[in-house]
Amino acid sequence: MKAPLSSSTSSSSGILRRSRLSTYLYTVLAFIVFIAIIHGEYSIANFGRVDPIIPSPVISTTPVKKRDKLVVQLPSFAVEESEERCDIFSGKWVKDELTRPHYDESECPYIQPQLTCRTHGRPDTEYQKWRWQPHGCDLPRFNATLMLESLRGKRMMFVGDSLNRGQYVSMVCLLHRLIPEDKKSMETYNNDALTVFRAKDYNATIEFYWAPFLLESNSDNAVVHRISDRIVRKGSMNKHGRHWKGVDILVFNTYLWWVTGQDMKILKGSFKDVEKEIMQMSTEDAYRMAMKSLLRWVTRNLDREKTRVFFTSMSPTHSKGDWGGEAGENCYNQTTPIVDPNYWGSDSRKSIMKVIGEEFSKSEFPITFLNITQLSSYRKDAHTSIYKKQWNPLTTEQLANPASYADCIHWCLPGLQDTWNELLFAKLFHPDLI
């Protein structure tokens, strides 16, 4: 017969059992928390399978087909994936006074005076309070903490014209509040062609590179570039592309500068040549040439295991009042979105969208298409209009007719371009959305 346990032995055994139980419970609890984080909104994964989205040749709000051959392992930043697919570019604008805007204009010192509409006298704020609602799903909430953590040790660069610069500034405004004043900076280089925002503790940069045609052109001066007789140099992607190498997230755009109302002038040879050989091409053919050059450069110079590439579609203008307004009406004094779901502005050329669809569908390098055109077409209320810094004194005639000098190209911040970055965020982290 075993000797009875002493009270001290019994007590020690109880303590040991409780200790083991506590350790087990803590282990289980830690595992549950870990799983919740992995699948939750604040999780971060460095790699995941992503279907590169190829734009359809025909403009529509229906989901585009995926190309199975282009399903590759990418640094997607994805946090979750499901079998359900949702077209986040097809939807409607809904009023949201609870969660919009994401920031106040006065809180972000990085917004250029061309985009600070309230500072320059815009009386209403309704344009800031619209949220994009896709049909059939909700757009993931932009998470600045997750975005910054995912950019740790990385470079993100927006490349293109002033519209892409607006999206760049929007991204900086969405993130900078999380960074102490002495731990962030913004500087310009290369005669203002390159702007770099640094988050020092994250060893991360968010950059903008001025290249309105992507190819070399006579409009490459980031300060003085208002040239009506525009010339683009054929086969010159390396001129700017050498500054894009090594970037982890690249966001390209180019469109508006190609639409001159006449054929494009294309330079064969060099701008330094005394006698220049210049040929003329239609806008569509010239744009196709640029897309071929971009895709060739991306394939030859970027590592698909490291770099995510995005292309933002045409940013629409509202200069002609073709939504059914009065003759001569434009974006001036517009305070509400267009509600006709089939509206497509005449300034957004479907022939250009067709070129993008045809060329990108052949790409060997996966490129994610941000189809912001249709959803932005509804937002005639979101432009800077007359509420911006005017670089030249206004004439008496202009002052008498404000619509005559309204800027119906650029967008107020905060505003529409914050939604563009929500869509970019969604494509980075949620591969189930198309």
Side-chain angles (χ1 to χ4, degrees), residues 214-231:
L214 302 184
L215 292 162
E216 181 184 4
S217 75
N218 63 347
S219 302
D220 286 344
N221 189 306
V223 179
V224 183
H225 49 249
R226 294 189 177 185
I227 300 172
S228 57
D229 188 26
R230 300 169 185 172
I231 303 173

Side-chain angles (χ1 to χ4, degrees), residues 170-397:
S170 163
M171 179 63 76
V172 172
C173 289
L174 288 166
L175 298 178
H176 86 98
R177 287 179 298 175
L178 297 182
I179 307 169
E181 287 298 322
D182 61 340
K183 299 297 183 180
K184 58 189 174 185
S185 66
M186 181 177 279
E187 299 172 294
T188 58
Y189 305 90
N190 299 341
N191 297 318
D192 291 339
L194 177 65
T195 305
V196 180
F197 175 83
R198 286 187 172 83
K200 298 177 183 178
D201 283 347
Y202 294 86
N203 188 29
T205 62
I206 306 171
E207 308 172 33
F208 170 75
Y209 186 91
W210 171 263
F213 292 97
L214 302 184
L215 292 162
E216 181 184 4
S217 75
N218 63 347
S219 302
D220 286 344
N221 189 306
V223 179
V224 183
H225 49 249
R226 294 189 177 185
I227 300 172
S228 57
D229 188 26
R230 300 169 185 172
I231 303 173
V232 179
R233 181 186 165 210
K234 184 179 181 180
S236 58
M237 198 65 68
N238 284 329
K239 170 66 163 49
H240 299 308
R242 58 194 176 92
H243 298 283
W244 314 335
K245 292 181 180 180
V247 174
D248 299 276
I249 303 174
L250 272 167
V251 185
F252 291 104
N253 95 305
T254 184
Y255 166 66
L256 198 65
W257 284 69
W258 296 91
V259 186
T260 63
Q262 54 191 355
D263 288 348
M264 285 297 303
K265 292 184 177 181
I266 306 299
L267 172 67
K268 298 177 68 175
S270 170
F271 279 105
K272 296 180 181 180
D273 294 340
V274 177
E275 294 186 7
K276 296 178 175 59
E277 182 181 356
I278 296 177
M279 60 181 179
Q280 292 197 344
M281 300 175 68
S282 69
T283 299
E284 287 74 15
D285 288 343
Y287 195 86
R288 187 183 299 276
M289 175 200 70
M291 293 301 98
K292 287 179 179 291
S293 293
L294 172 64
L295 295 175
R296 186 164 51 246
W297 184 90
V298 165
T299 301
R300 292 176 178 176
N301 292 279
L302 299 182
D303 181 357
R304 63 168 54 195
E305 299 294 330
K306 168 182 169 59
T307 303
R308 285 293 305 274
V309 178
F310 295 83
F311 190 90
T312 303
S313 67
M314 302 177 293
S315 178
T317 67
H318 294 88
S319 58
K320 297 181 180 178
D322 52 7
W323 53 85
E326 299 178 3
E329 188 176 31
N330 60 15
C331 70
Y332 171 66
N333 214 26
Q334 300 295 326
T335 58
T336 57
I338 296 168
V339 295
D340 177 5
N342 298 315
Y343 173 77
W344 183 274
S346 59
D347 287 330
S348 298
R349 295 172 66 160
K350 293 185 178 182
S351 58
I352 294 295
M353 204 74 142
K354 184 173 183 290
V355 169
I356 296 173
E358 291 172 351
E359 295 306 320
F360 279 35
S361 64
K362 306 171 188 175
S363 176
E364 298 177 16
F365 194 104
I367 296 179
T368 302
F369 189 60
L370 296 178
N371 191 357
I372 56 88
T373 307
Q374 182 83 62
L375 62 91
S376 302
S377 291
Y378 303 140
R379 296 303 306 276
K380 61 181 172 61
D381 61 308
H383 291 286
T384 53
S385 184
I386 66 171
Y387 305 107
K388 53 178 283 187
K389 179 177 180 178
Q390 304 295 336
W391 296 106
N392 298 307
L394 298 172
T395 65
T396 302
E397 292 76 13

Side-chain angles (χ1 to χ4, degrees), residues 22 31 110 129 133 135 145 165 287 378 380 383 418:
S22 297
F31 179 76
Y110 306 105
K129 300 175 182 177
Q133 177 62 58
H135 298 311
T145 301
R165 181 164 53 202
Y287 195 86
Y378 303 140
K380 61 181 172 61
H383 291 286
D418 300 320

